[in-house]
Structure formats: structure tokens, C-alpha cells
Amino acid sequence: MGANASSPDKPPAVTTSKSSTLTRHLGLHLDDVPVREKKKKMSKLATLRRKLIRVRRHSRSFDHAKAIRELTSNWTVRELHALVQEYQATAGLKELSLLATLARPVAMAFREDLSNLYDYKFCTDVDLIFRGACFPVHRVILCIRCPFFRDLLARYPRYGAQIPVEIKTQGVDQSMFSCLLRYLYTGDFICDNSRPGNRKLLAHLADEFGTPNVLEHDMRTLLETGDYSDAVLVFTSDSDYPDSGPSEAACSSMSLKKHELRCHKAILAARSPFFRNLLLRRARSGEELTEQALQTPTRIVLDESVIPKQYARVLVQAVYLDNVDLSCIVRSSSSVCSLSEVQAIVAGKGHMTHADEAMEIYQIGQFLDFPMLSQGCEDIIVDSLSQENLMSILAWSSEPHGSQWVHRQALQYLREEFLQIAHSPVLYELSKEYLIAAISSDFLQSGELDVLNAVIKWGEHQLVKRMEEREPNLLTHTAHSVTKKGVKRRDLNDVELREILSELLPYVRMDHVIPPNHDVINNAIKRGLVSTPPSHMLGDEVGINRINAWVRGKNNGMFVKPRLFVPYYEEAKSLLEEQVSQVQENDLTRMRMFQMSSIPDTLYMVDGNSCPPSPYPIHIPISSSSFTVDIIAGTIPVPDSATVGAMSKREQELQQSRLARKAYSMPFCDRRAIGHQLQLQVVREFGLPDSTVEVLQHEPTYRRGDIRRMESPPALEPMRIRAMPLVHKHSPPLLPATPRPSRSYSPPSAYSTVEKESKSSNCSDSVLSDIMPDIAMATASLNQVSMQDDDLPPEMEMKLDLGDGNHTMYI
């Protein structure tokens, strides 16, 4: 999205001038016009030329297609096909990652809430007696939905009356009557229509009871007219009453239009647990009986400092219609200033934006436990994301009262629009954690050259801020201050700049910076910011090293996973199609393919249920610390066994989904990362924190109810090893990781704590795995395992699995 928005620079013409080029594009022939008109045309062309240069200078675009085309100009079809396969595998993973990012609990619509209201009988006010059975119901629902019950209930106005129901239509039993009532609540008639005579019976019932309107129409009628209302929402503040407390005179003097809204207790109880508990508590205390005896509506008093009255209409409309409409805000209201309003005033904003108002209403939805309102506000906030409000939304969503779902969408926006953000002042407002979260992602929409340039600019800005903070107070705001005279690049301390960038540069994939001899990377090397130059600058085989950094194979550990940058991906696919079309049919038949795994075959002993095997070389220490989950400390919330079972079932459904099967079918797929994204989607759909993924990874232990700290690893099954799952190496970390001082062949790991603990012992595995045979690597791995745990019983010894693998390679 961010990459596609920029237009590539056009190379300057060699034999023609820029003015002639513009003339040709505009279809103008200056020789055919008079001199005066020619001057006008030339002035217009000059103006257009300045505009184009200005746009190009501001967009700072780069011809990414040309860069990847030059890189692969001398590649073979096999090498280009391997690169496209890498991109396809990452694209399949990105689709699952987007689903996990968008996952959240499903907010129940008013149909489901009204169905639960009928099932659980909250706040019922009348009983229907039919054939000896009692059906507690709500007067407002039946009266607005059905003319038959409207006339019947009008004859029994008393609260809690028991009303006998006589139906003329023959053949209606208690079950059919219950289905009829549920239909009035939900608009869905759930009954066995296949039984003989049921269709005819339903037709007779429609004649006797009448056909109700659409449920949405009746709900809107209740909202707009207030018919059958039995409650009033009252918005008060300290200024409404004197210090002695509220009085009857003060209550009656309040304006109904500005401070009160008529509503219905049944609807409030169905939509919000907050209102439901409040009404049930009043009923238990006897206040409801007093109100019914006095025939006065229930007054629900809300503190305006918590729920400002300017949002009252938005709240009520969401309750009745499942619609969050910010146009219902009474912006001329003299409500008590909320926290967001105060922050807007302090920040110098003249008025609150729609995003600010949605943030305020979101907190109201959280306070009232009304997910439909909260999620509607989340959608509004995400729809309004832009470069101007990105930092404010990130700051709000990272607060304890903010939305984690919005935070994930804002980070996704940062990754998608990074190319534009890198050339805007927003880059300097990013914190180090947010910048790391962006540049560590495989899905970042930016080339490595732009990433490196952005990181250096960000670091230089941080260094200038340090210099300003160290400046003596006497020079501050004077002509000699750093702020006034500015700082030139030659005045910056490169040693201090390298220290600032020490945690960021390991995430820049230097081997993928193209063009490889660009001034940005050359200057970074000259300034000592890059400790180890890219692999193509080392050794004599420059071309081979450059290919090895992009394509898997026996590449001496040079391979680094490329980012899924859309311009690179699209150009690589088009280049592959061009080259394949040029290959003769006979040559294609001679191209032999065979299935080869991208990891040693013996590593498939990893338990596939908890963590599918990864194609990358990994190191799994067998120790009790690897299996310890700190449940006692409360770091991982443990749901009950029924919830764990439902989560496991949902995970199995996702495993069989089309996108999951597509991702698993890719030759170079990362099965661990795919499984992790599916598990993240599950726990987020259940409204649990991301750390609950540990529960799914050790599901048998949790379902047995054993929440004690495990003192020993579980028994090893034949041909499998239970291990903590390792997720994708290049996924964004939640916290900045300390980079390794030595050269990294791939960006630092994001999630894997096991890999972080074993970095010292694993520093050579990635290199050896590319030059040693699979069986030799498997033997070395087994030796390491046996050295770490020599006390394993014979039945727990690992056995080799010489699988064929499932990855396509060319030879």
C-alpha cells in the first residue's frame, strides 16, 4: 500500500532535453504554433516542469522495479523461481498474519442479545400463562412487535400480572408457543417446518397474530418515539445540584431534552451487563416495586464526568440499532470536559477530531461493558488512521485504557505506509520500540535502502536532541544554540551515533540493499555505522555471494529471508514469466525437479501438534527450563477446560481453512510461524491476551487441570520431541532485543526465548547447516542433545525420521 502509492523516478533522457520530453508527452509541437503562443507554451511547460520536480523531490521515490531487475539480470530461471517461491511463502504467511491482526471477540448484535434476554428472563415484567405453563416476558417487546399481544396486555396494565393466553388456532402446543415468542424477540422462527401440518399451522397463526414488522424497524420506532418506556437515563454533574444534595424541585427543573433520555429497561438489560446488574440490584432492594406503585419510570442517574451527555444519543442509538453514529453528538452541549477534551486543549487543538471522540466513546463502551459500542468506535478510529494522527493513536492505544486491537492496526498501518512515513516528520516522532516493530517485520513495505536511510536519519535526529539537552542553559534560545544555528552532518559524532543505532541496524538486511553500491550504504560504511559490510563486498565471487543472500541453497550461510516488498515481488514474478516464456519447450522438459527439505530431515521429530517443523536451522536445548511455564506468577491466564477445548477446536478449524492449507503448501513455508499466527487468531477471538498461546501449545497439560509448575519435561514420544515452539525469526518483537555483536546472517529473533538463551551455542549452526550433509547435522544435533541431558531413560531416546520432505527444488 505504501509502496504502491509512490511513483518511480523516470531516468533522464539521453538524446533529448527535458522540455522536448514534456512536449512529447503532452502532444505539443512547438514548430506549428506562433512565437507568442510558443512562449506561452514554454512558460506553461516550465511551470509544469517545476511542479514535477517538486513532486519528485517531496515523494523521494525510487524505481524499485528497475533495482530488482538489475539485480536479477544475470540470474537463471531456477534462481529466479526460488526467489519467487520465497515471496509466495511469505505472502501466504502475511495473509494469516493479517487475519490474526484483525481478530477480536465477536460483539453480539441486538438479535443475539434479545434471544439471551428471552432465555434468561432478565427484568421481566409480565407472565403469560399458556396451557398451564408460565412464560415470563417483557411487555415492551410484545407490544411493539405483535398487535395480538398489544391488545391483550392493554387489559392487564399491572406490573407482574399473570395473563392467560387463549389461542383460537388449533394445534399450538407449549413448544410452538415458545417458538412464537422467540420469533417476536429475534425475528427468526426456529421450528421444525418439515413436520406435516406445521406450514399450515404457521399460516393460521399469521392470520390470528398478524405479521410483525422487521425487527430493526420496531427497534427504531422504540428509539424515536419512546413508546412503552419505563426508564429514564439522567445525566448529572456536580453543578446540577447544590452542595446539600439533589432535591425533587431540582430534579423536576432539569430539562428533559438536554439531560434525560427515555428508554426501556428490557433493552438496556439485554445489551449491557452494567445496566442489567444495576436494574437487578434495584429490584432486589425493593426500589422497583416502589416505582411501580407510584407509576414512575426508573431513573438511572449517570455521572456526566464519566459519561458526558453530549454522547448520550450515540450511546442510545448503539443500544437500539447497533450503529455508532458520531453525527448524533451534541457538540454545542456544555458538558463537563472529558480527559480527551482536556488533552486536546493542552495540545493546542481547536476541536476534537472524530478519532478523539471515538476514543472517548470507546471508554464509555468499556465502562458499560457494551462490546458493540466499543468495536464500532474501534472501526472509526482505524478508518481515520493517517500520518497526522498515527502517533496520537499509537500513544492512546498503548495505554491501559486503550484498545489493543487498534494498536495492532496502527502498527500494521506503520508497516504498510513506512515508505511515506520515512520521508515525513512522523519518522522522528517514532520511539525506538515502534521503529523496531516496523523494520523487524518480513511484511514491511519498503526496500532495504529506504530502511537503512530511515534508520540513519532517525538516529541523527536523536543525536541532535541529545546535543540540545547537553547544551548549557546560557546558550539556550540564543543565536549560538544548537536549535538556532542547526547541526551539520560533519559535526555529528559517528561513535555516539553508532551507539544510538546499535539496536536498530541488526534489523536492516544489509545484503538486500539495492543498488548494492548506493551512496547511502557506502557512506554508512565509511562512517563506521555498519560494522560488517554486505556479503557481496567480501571475497572474490561477488555475483555468487549476491545471489546466495537472496536464494536458499548451499550458500555458506549467506541467505537472508527477503521482505515481502510488493514492487520486488511483482517485478520478480513478471521477470520469471518473461524468462520462462523464452525457454524452449524442450529445455523445460529437461528441467528436473525433486522434493527436498529445507531443514535436516531428522529435525522433523518435533511434535507437529504443538509446533510444526520450521525450515530454518534451529537449536532446541533439552532441559527442564524449556518446558517451564510460570503459571504461579500469573504471567499467563489459564482459561477453564471447556474454553481450552473450544479454543483447540477452533484451531483445528483454522488449520483446515483454505488460507492455512495454501500457506502450508508453499515450498519454503515456515510451519512454526503459520501455526503461531493461527493460535494468535484463536486467542484473540476468545478475547484473551497473546500470552495465552502457551496454553494452546501445551493443551494436554492445561486440559488435565495441572497448573502447577512442571518440574520435568513430558515424556518423549517415539520420533518426536516436545519443545517450546519457535516462531518466525523476522516477526516484530514486543520488546527490543539486544543485537549480537557479531555478524548476523539473519535479523534477530523476535519471539523465541529458547533461541535467545542459546545464541552462544547456536552461532555456528546456521553456517554449518549449509555445508554439512543432513545426516551429519542430525548426528551433531543428537550429540548436543545427549550432552545436555545424558540421564534420559532408554524409552525416551530419539529415533531418526528420514522423511522425504515436501519442498520443491530445481537441479
Side-chain angles (χ1 to χ4, degrees):
M1 181 163 51
N4 296 337
S6 62
S7 58
D9 285 339
K10 300 298 181 183
V14 178
T15 59
T16 59
S17 64
K18 293 183 179 180
S19 60
S20 62
T21 303
L22 291 173
T23 304
R24 184 172 61 255
H25 286 312
L26 293 176
L28 300 176
H29 301 278
L30 299 181
D31 296 335
D32 300 335
V33 295
V35 177
R36 182 174 301 178
E37 295 296 330
K38 185 183 298 186
K39 292 183 178 179
K40 292 182 179 179
K41 296 293 183 181
M42 289 298 297
S43 62
K44 292 181 179 179
L45 291 175
T47 304
L48 179 59
R49 176 185 174 186
R50 287 195 297 270
K51 290 182 179 180
L52 291 176
I53 294 175
R54 188 184 304 117
V55 171
R56 184 175 59 188
R57 185 186 300 119
H58 286 301
S59 63
R60 301 176 186 268
S61 58
F62 182 76
D63 195 345
H64 301 287
K66 178 182 176 182
I68 196 69
R69 185 177 290 269
E70 292 177 352
L71 173 70
T72 60
S73 58
N74 57 350
W75 286 22
T76 64
V77 178
R78 300 181 182 91
E79 293 166 343
L80 197 55
H81 183 264
L83 177 62
V84 172
Q85 285 184 324
E86 287 288 348
Y87 282 134
Q88 290 174 344
T90 310
L93 179 62
K94 183 179 181 180
E95 291 179 337
L96 298 179
S97 176
L98 290 177
L99 292 179
T101 302
L102 293 171
R104 60 182 175 184
V106 178
M108 298 181 66
F110 59 79
R111 292 178 182 273
E112 290 81 5
D113 284 335
L114 291 179
S115 178
N116 291 334
L117 181 69
Y118 174 74
D119 290 334
Y120 295 103
K121 317 299 181 185
F122 296 126
C123 303
T124 57
D125 51 6
V126 66
D127 296 334
L128 299 181
I129 308 299
F130 179 74
R131 292 194 174 185
C134 180
F135 295 87
V137 292
H138 303 83
R139 182 183 296 269
V140 57
I141 301 294
L142 299 187
C143 289
I144 196 65
R145 297 281 291 153
C146 179
F148 174 84
F149 286 111
R150 184 185 308 132
D151 298 336
L152 177 63
L153 296 177
R155 300 196 295 267
Y156 298 89
R158 186 173 57 85
Y159 173 80
Q162 294 187 348
I163 305 174
V165 179
E166 298 292 338
I167 299 179
K168 298 178 181 179
T169 304
Q170 299 298 322
V172 179
D173 55 7
Q174 297 177 359
S175 177
M176 177 65 72
F177 186 73
S178 178
C179 292
L180 176 62
L181 294 178
R182 183 181 297 278
Y183 169 70
L184 296 178
Y185 275 77
T186 64
D188 299 324
F189 195 88
I190 304 175
C191 188
D192 188 6
N193 294 332
S194 61
R195 293 175 54 187
N198 268 9
R199 293 183 180 273
K200 185 180 297 185
L201 179 60
L202 293 178
H204 290 302
L205 286 175
D207 295 337
E208 182 175 358
F209 285 83
T211 303
N213 299 317
V214 180
L215 183 59
E216 289 81 356
H217 177 272
D218 289 336
M219 295 291 288
R220 184 177 295 275
T221 301
L222 289 177
L223 171 64
E224 294 176 352
T225 64
D227 293 340
Y228 312 106
S229 62
D230 53 1
V232 176
L233 292 179
V234 182
F235 296 86
T236 64
S237 61
D238 295 338
S239 60
D240 290 334
Y241 300 110
D243 296 337
S244 59
S247 61
E248 294 294 335
C251 291
S252 60
S253 63
M254 288 193 306
S255 172
L256 182 65
K257 181 178 179 180
K258 292 184 177 181
H259 291 79
E260 298 184 1
L261 287 175
R262 292 187 296 171
C263 53
H264 306 83
K265 290 189 293 184
I267 307 299
L268 295 179
R271 304 311 309 277
S272 168
F274 173 86
F275 288 123
R276 182 191 311 148
N277 295 331
L278 176 62
L279 294 172
L280 291 177
R281 185 168 61 250
R282 293 171 66 96
R284 287 193 297 266
S285 64
E287 296 181 22
E288 187 173 8
L289 294 177
T290 304
E291 294 167 350
Q292 294 298 332
L294 298 175
Q295 296 184 353
T296 59
T298 301
R299 300 179 64 85
I300 302 176
V301 181
L302 302 175
D303 189 354
E304 194 179 351
S305 62
V306 179
I307 305 178
K309 67 184 177 202
Q310 65 187 40
Y311 303 132
R313 296 287 180 182
V314 180
L315 169 62
V316 176
Q317 180 161 333
V319 168
Y320 282 81
L321 301 178
D322 285 345
N323 180 29
V324 180
D325 187 2
L326 298 186
S327 63
C328 297
I329 298 177
V330 184
R331 292 181 173 84
S332 60
S333 173
S334 58
S335 298
V336 177
C337 286
S338 59
L339 177 61
S340 298
E341 290 174 311
V342 174
Q343 292 175 347
I345 295 174
V346 172
K349 299 180 181 179
H351 62 279
M352 294 178 62
T353 63
H354 286 313
D356 296 329
E357 293 169 340
M359 293 175 192
E360 190 77 17
I361 301 174
Y362 169 84
Q363 299 177 31
I364 296 175
Q366 293 295 97
F367 178 78
L368 299 178
D369 198 3
F370 187 16
M372 183 60 68
L373 179 61
S374 299
Q375 292 189 6
C377 294
E378 288 176 338
D379 295 336
I380 294 174
I381 296 171
V382 172
D383 290 341
S384 64
L385 267 172
S386 64
Q387 294 186 22
E388 288 72 20
N389 60 11
L390 174 62
M391 296 310 302
S392 62
I393 291 178
L394 279 172
W396 171 82
S397 59
S398 62
E399 296 292 334
H401 59 268
S403 168
Q404 289 297 320
W405 187 83
V406 172
H407 193 71
R408 294 198 300 267
Q409 311 315 310
L411 290 177
Q412 177 66 22
Y413 178 87
L414 173 61
R415 291 188 287 266
E416 293 292 332
E417 299 292 335
F418 186 82
L419 198 58
Q420 279 68 39
I421 293 175
H423 298 107
S424 69
V426 181
L427 173 68
Y428 307 123
E429 301 178 23
L430 292 174
S431 64
K432 181 185 296 184
E433 290 74 17
Y434 290 144
L435 191 55
I436 289 178
I439 66 176
S440 62
S441 172
D442 286 343
F443 317 129
L444 183 70
Q445 290 306 297
S446 177
E448 295 303 320
L449 180 64
D450 295 300
V451 174
L452 177 60
N453 191 25
V455 168
I456 294 176
K457 290 196 304 181
W458 182 89
E460 291 175 346
H461 180 75
Q462 297 299 318
L463 180 57
V464 171
K465 290 175 60 177
R466 285 190 181 184
M467 296 172 61
E468 292 176 355
E469 293 174 357
R470 292 196 298 261
E471 188 177 57
N473 294 331
L474 294 177
L475 297 179
T476 305
H477 302 299
T478 63
H480 301 284
S481 65
V482 175
T483 306
K484 295 293 184 180
K485 69 179 182 180
V487 179
K488 296 182 180 180
R489 177 170 295 181
R490 63 173 179 265
D491 298 331
L492 297 177
N493 188 342
D494 291 337
V495 176
E496 189 173 3
L497 179 60
R498 184 168 62 248
E499 183 268 331
I500 294 175
L501 300 179
S502 60
E503 297 182 17
L504 296 171
L505 288 177
Y507 292 96
V508 182
R509 307 175 192 189
M510 298 296 179
D511 288 338
H512 294 175
V513 175
I514 53 177
N517 296 320
H518 197 274
D519 292 341
V520 173
I521 189 169
N522 290 336
N523 292 334
I525 295 174
K526 291 179 182 178
R527 300 171 66 183
L529 303 180
V530 179
S531 58
T532 304
S535 58
H536 65 268
M537 295 184 179
L538 303 176
D540 299 331
E541 300 178 347
V542 177
I544 297 178
N545 290 343
R546 189 178 303 171
I547 297 176
N548 289 340
W550 290 79
V551 178
R552 293 178 191 267
K554 304 303 179 182
N555 48 40
N556 299 324
M558 296 296 181
F559 173 75
V560 180
K561 185 177 177 63
R563 301 185 196 270
L564 185 63
F565 187 33
V566 174
Y568 289 175
Y569 179 31
E570 296 296 336
E571 188 65 22
K573 287 195 300 183
S574 63
L575 288 173
L576 180 61
E577 293 175 358
E578 293 176 5
Q579 292 196 19
V580 170
S581 63
Q582 296 174 1
V583 176
Q584 298 296 329
E585 183 177 356
N586 295 333
D587 296 335
L588 288 176
T589 57
R590 290 198 300 267
M591 294 177 63
R592 184 165 57 94
M593 294 187 303
F594 70 98
Q595 302 293 326
M596 174 180 287
S597 170
S598 58
I599 64 171
D601 293 335
T602 50
L603 293 184
Y604 279 118
M605 293 180 294
V606 179
D607 190 347
N609 294 330
S610 59
C611 46
S614 172
Y616 304 114
I618 56 175
H619 177 69
I620 305 176
I622 305 299
S623 62
S624 60
S625 61
S626 301
F627 302 95
T628 300
V629 181
D630 193 2
I631 303 301
I632 298 178
T635 56
I636 300 177
V638 182
D640 54 73
S641 58
T643 304
V644 173
M647 292 168 60
S648 177
K649 183 178 179 180
R650 176 57 177 163
E651 182 185 4
Q652 295 174 5
E653 294 176 357
L654 294 179
Q655 292 279 356
Q656 300 301 322
S657 63
R658 181 185 62 84
L659 291 179
R661 293 199 305 269
K662 176 184 175 182
Y664 279 126
S665 66
M666 296 299 173
F668 298 134
C669 69
D670 187 344
R671 299 179 66 87
R672 294 179 185 275
I674 294 173
H676 184 77
Q677 294 300 329
L678 296 178
Q679 291 172 345
L680 275 179
Q681 181 178 348
V682 171
V683 299
R684 289 168 179 173
E685 288 177 352
F686 279 76
L688 299 172
D690 293 349
S691 59
T692 320
V693 169
E694 299 285 350
V695 177
L696 288 177
Q697 294 168 353
H698 300 278
E699 179 201 355
T701 301
Y702 291 103
R703 295 194 69 175
R704 287 195 304 266
D706 183 13
I707 61 173
R708 297 177 290 105
R709 182 186 298 271
M710 291 175 284
E711 299 178 355
S712 61
L716 299 181
E717 301 176 0
M719 308 189 56
R720 296 180 184 270
I721 301 176
R722 289 191 184 274
M724 293 287 290
L726 300 179
V727 285
H728 200 261
K729 281 189 174 185
H730 309 301
S731 301
L734 299 179
L735 294 175
T738 303
R740 292 175 287 184
S742 60
R743 184 183 187 278
S744 173
Y745 293 102
S746 60
S749 172
Y751 294 109
S752 172
T753 57
V754 176
E755 185 178 357
K756 291 178 182 178
E757 295 173 358
S758 59
K759 282 180 181 178
S760 59
S761 62
N762 195 31
C763 59
S764 62
D765 288 352
S766 60
V767 180
L768 294 177
S769 63
D770 293 325
I771 62 178
M772 294 179 62
D774 290 345
I775 299 300
M777 281 300 301
T779 306
S781 301
L782 288 176
N783 291 336
Q784 294 176 5
V785 170
S786 60
M787 291 174 59
Q788 293 174 2
D789 195 347
D790 296 329
D791 299 329
L792 291 175
E795 61 271 15
M796 297 178 61
E797 293 181 355
M798 297 177 294
K799 300 180 181 181
L800 295 179
D801 178 15
L802 302 180
D804 293 331
N806 60 348
H807 300 307
T808 304
M809 293 288 290
Y810 291 94
I811 63 171

